[in-house]
Amino acid sequence: MEALIPVINKLQDVFNTVGADIIQLPQIAVVGTQSSGKSSVLESLVGRDLLPRGTGIVTRRPLILQLVHVDPGDARKNDDVGREGEEWGKFLHTKNQIFADFDEIRQEIETETERISGNNKGISEEPIHLKIFSPHVVNLTLVDLPGITKVPVGDQPKDIEVQIKDLILKHISNPNCIILAVTAANTDMATSEALKVAREVDPDGRRTLAVVTKLDLMDAGTDAMDVLMGRVIPVKLGLIGVVNRSQLDINNKKPVADAIRDEYAFLQKKYPSLANRNGTKYLARTLNRLLMHHIRDCLPELKTRINVLAAQYQSLLSSYGEPVEDQSATLLQLITKFATEYCNTIEGTAKYIETAELCGGARICYIFHETFGRTLESVDPLGGLSTIDILTAIRNATGPRPSLFVPEISFELLVKKQVKRLEEPSLRCVELVHEEMQRIIQHCSNYSTQELQRFPKLHEAIVEVVTSLLRKRLPVTNEMVHNLVAIELAYINTKHPDFADACGVLNNNIEEQRRNRMRELPAAVPRDKAAGGAQGDQEGTGNWRGMLKKGEEAPGSGPGSPLKGAVNLLDVPVPVARKLSSREQRDCEVIERLIKSYFLIVRKNIQDSVPKAVMHFLVNHVKDSLQSELVGQLYKSGLLNDLLTESEDMAQRRKEAADMLQALQKASQVIAEIRETHLW
């Protein structure tokens, strides 16, 4: 099982080559407040001074520290290493440069930190990767994070506390991360910021290990026995106490090995019963053991994650396509595929079906039968016509002579005015379908033919050709729809079967009303006069025309009513609201019923013929001629190089996807080797 940690280090190296952190590998994150002893703990684990020192915030970028155990006999042979050549370090950002001097390692950490984070005590999320090879370390992967702080110092931003906490949470939220919560023994454990942050992401404490530093600096007469026994703050993975080097020891360059010996002596003297379960060496062994078990538990899920990502990147790489070899064949293939997908989207057989909203042919169907249909149904047959308008039209159609019957021309005049109102929604229907066919272009570009994203100029050219084709068909379709309404206006067919039936029903209603009036006549009225009046009514309405009442005279026209005073003949009487006579009311009702009956017939015709015209002149024509139009406009030898020029970032994205796929495949092989060697 010891070999599991080098495997994780190998996986880390694989993903470092592509600069990706999409895989959350098992690691140990060190969390603590400033001056809690985090750096001393790490240096004790390494056995060398390698971390920057100073006041305030020193760790301003995450440091991913990989400790790799090497046998003394396998130590690197190099003349520049000197006497201590068995230990060395390598940074990811310096490629293959070897650092045998740990002072140079510390200096490189400071330089690289300032290069990204600046020198104003700000922090950065971009990590520094350092690998230490030594026969004196156990295999571990540690992440040193900036110390938790409360108050900005110097040029630090005012929200430095929030920035640091967010950075810490980003790392320890990884479920594959063990949290090493560092707290000084001379502070109250109940107020430990490290444990508080750890509990936010690990409330059960299943992956938190507490380290109590500075055991030698506790107040006289006190000890950490209760803390180390877990009686104060219980932690499931345990609590381990260590003794750090003092600042004086650091200034005097006291070796870490000497500090560890002094630590062991202190624990034997102060905590003899707990000495074998505390100290730096026990901490290193514990971390190694915990990390190995954690890796073993994480590997199955890690393998699944790697396989899923490999499949995703394989699909992504396929979508980017291979470099173009035969330009003519590639261009024709892309044109054909776009035209096919465009037509399939209209027919509803496209590979990528939109689920968020109606698209393509389904939306066109909705426009025809829902939008357009409901709009026509909402048009009132008598909308915009008042009774006075109808009466005025009747009077204007009679000329200078009083009429006995309702003139037929008034019906035609009024019904044409109402039918004309159907033209606007019909033309709007054409516009909506045209807009949807324009939207289909973008739909095909985004979902159906992702290869077009490789060639932006070809994509622009295809959009321009299809848009131009749609633009050319729009006036033709509009003209046809306009003609459909004009045809209805050209001839008012009062012999239409449906209209004739309506007239018959209307005549029956009028006859029934005449009989009712006769039954209501007083007994003193002679029956022949009543019959004569009825006969007159029948003659006046037999052909849907109204009649004047027998003997009815216009006001002011009877004897004994001479006009008095001067009259201005240029004054035209303006119709005003007034109570209509029974004849006028009857004439208006007849016209209204006939207009409504005929309007409904025309509306039904328009509702049926407009979608057919739009399908024939616009939709089907574009479908049938799209590919030939694209080939004719674009398939030219002089345009090949220009149209098939890839976007500037496509080659880079293809390379990144290929590198990531290669890294994932290597990682999959590494895990497969683990299974073969029965390490898990």
Side-chain angles (χ1 to χ4, degrees), residues 357-371:
E357 61 178 352
L358 292 178
C359 176
R363 192 176 185 89
I364 292 174
C365 178
Y366 183 87
I367 291 171
F368 285 156
H369 302 292
E370 297 293 333
T371 306

Side-chain angles (χ1 to χ4, degrees), residues 11-258:
L11 290 177
Q12 185 71 59
D13 293 340
V14 168
F15 292 116
N16 285 345
T17 58
V18 292
D21 56 356
I22 59 173
I23 296 291
Q24 295 179 321
L25 297 174
Q27 58 191 10
I28 300 172
V30 185
V31 180
T33 58
Q34 288 184 22
S35 304
S36 62
K38 291 192 300 90
S39 298
S40 295
V41 170
L42 290 173
E43 288 180 338
S44 298
L45 294 173
V46 178
R48 300 295 297 266
D49 291 326
L50 79 160
L51 298 177
R53 296 282 182 170
T55 58
I57 182 171
V58 177
T59 305
R60 296 188 287 127
R61 290 177 60 184
L63 174 65
I64 298 180
L65 180 62
Q66 291 178 260
L67 305 183
V68 182
H69 176 80
V70 293
D71 294 330
D74 297 334
R76 182 179 54 87
K77 303 298 182 181
N78 191 304
D79 294 337
D80 298 331
V81 176
R83 167 173 76 81
E84 296 181 347
E86 61 183 6
E87 296 180 296
W88 70 94
K90 291 173 63 176
F91 287 95
L92 177 64
H93 64 272
T94 59
K95 306 301 180 184
N96 294 323
Q97 183 178 353
I98 303 297
F99 292 84
D101 188 343
F102 279 79
D103 289 336
E104 293 181 2
I105 291 178
R106 178 170 56 251
Q107 183 60 45
E108 181 62 27
I109 293 174
E110 293 178 353
T111 302
E112 181 65 12
T113 297
E114 292 184 359
R115 184 180 71 84
I116 299 297
S117 303
N119 52 12
N120 64 344
K121 299 297 183 182
I123 66 170
S124 171
E125 294 184 357
E126 185 175 344
I128 299 174
H129 293 266
L130 172 61
K131 186 179 290 187
I132 299 295
F133 300 85
S134 171
H136 307 301
V137 300
V138 295
N139 292 312
L140 285 176
T141 299
L142 302 160
V143 182
D144 186 20
L145 297 170
I148 301 171
T149 185
K150 291 293 185 181
V151 181
V153 177
D155 295 332
Q156 288 181 347
K158 293 182 179 180
D159 63 341
I160 187 67
E161 178 187 1
V162 177
Q163 290 186 27
I164 292 176
K165 185 174 181 180
D166 290 344
L167 177 58
I168 292 173
L169 290 174
K170 177 183 176 181
H171 283 268
I172 66 176
S173 295
N174 172 11
N176 297 334
C177 174
I178 294 176
I179 305 170
L180 192 64
V182 179
T183 304
N186 55 359
T187 61
D188 189 352
M189 284 289 290
T191 62
S192 170
E193 288 290 336
L195 289 174
K196 178 183 176 183
V197 172
R199 283 190 173 181
E200 290 185 22
V201 295
D202 182 33
D204 297 332
R206 296 182 181 275
R207 52 188 181 90
T208 301
L209 174 67
V211 175
V212 182
T213 63
K214 304 182 181 181
L215 291 175
D216 56 332
L217 298 182
M218 296 189 68
D219 293 339
T222 62
D223 60 32
M225 184 65 71
D226 289 341
V227 172
L228 297 178
M229 293 292 291
R231 297 168 186 163
V232 178
I233 301 292
V235 180
K236 288 188 177 181
L237 294 184
L239 294 97
I240 299 177
V242 297
V243 177
N244 302 333
R245 291 180 298 168
S246 65
Q247 188 61 47
L248 179 61
D249 292 337
I250 296 172
N251 295 339
N252 293 335
K253 305 293 185 180
K254 181 178 180 179
V256 175
D258 293 346

Side-chain angles (χ1 to χ4, degrees), residues 652-680:
Q652 178 64 25
R653 284 190 287 174
R654 186 188 294 112
K655 180 180 182 303
E656 291 175 355
D659 291 344
M660 180 59 69
L661 180 60
Q662 184 179 8
L664 290 167
Q665 290 172 343
K666 287 182 179 179
S668 183
Q669 292 175 359
V670 170
I671 295 180
E673 293 172 2
I674 299 175
R675 295 182 65 96
E676 292 175 1
T677 54
H678 306 287
L679 293 178
W680 125 55

Side-chain angles (χ1 to χ4, degrees), residues 588-625:
C588 289
E589 289 177 356
V590 169
I591 292 294
E592 287 177 355
R593 294 180 182 180
L594 293 174
I595 289 175
K596 185 174 181 179
S597 176
Y598 196 82
F599 180 87
L600 294 178
I601 295 172
V602 175
R603 186 174 72 182
K604 183 178 179 180
N605 294 341
I606 294 296
Q607 191 170 352
D608 178 64
S609 58
V610 167
K612 292 178 179 177
V614 174
M615 286 298 297
H616 177 72
F617 287 91
L618 180 60
V619 180
N620 291 341
H621 187 280
V622 170
K623 281 172 50 184
D624 296 340
S625 60

Side-chain angles (χ1 to χ4, degrees), residues 424-556:
E424 182 180 352
S426 301
L427 294 176
R428 177 58 180 160
C429 176
V430 178
E431 183 181 351
L432 289 175
V433 174
H434 176 267
E435 291 175 357
E436 178 56 28
M437 297 191 72
Q438 192 74 34
R439 288 177 69 246
I440 296 176
I441 302 175
Q442 190 63 34
H443 173 81
C444 293
S445 301
N446 291 342
Y447 299 100
S448 303
T449 52
Q450 294 183 358
E451 293 91 338
L452 286 179
Q453 304 302 324
R454 294 177 57 192
F455 312 109
K457 292 187 177 180
L458 175 61
H459 177 254
E460 293 175 3
I462 288 177
V463 171
E464 179 59 32
V465 170
V466 182
T467 302
S468 176
L469 178 60
L470 290 171
R471 192 184 304 119
K472 286 190 296 185
R473 298 307 302 173
L474 184 60
V476 178
T477 310
N478 280 335
E479 182 180 3
M480 182 59 197
V481 171
H482 173 78
N483 287 337
L484 289 176
V485 179
I487 289 170
E488 297 291 346
L489 295 174
Y491 181 65
I492 304 301
N493 183 16
T494 57
K495 292 296 185 180
H496 191 283
D498 295 340
F499 187 68
D501 293 343
C503 289
V505 173
L506 181 60
N507 287 337
N508 292 337
N509 291 340
I510 294 175
E511 179 63 21
E512 181 66 24
Q513 292 175 6
R514 183 189 66 79
R515 292 182 182 141
N516 292 338
R517 287 197 302 272
M518 287 182 62
R519 285 194 293 267
E520 294 171 358
L521 287 175
V525 178
R527 184 58 58 182
D528 56 346
K529 291 184 179 181
Q535 183 179 1
D537 284 348
Q538 185 174 5
E539 292 174 358
T541 59
N543 191 18
W544 64 264
R545 298 185 180 93
M547 276 185 59
L548 287 171
K549 291 183 180 178
K550 196 123 182 156
E552 184 177 24
E553 295 176 342

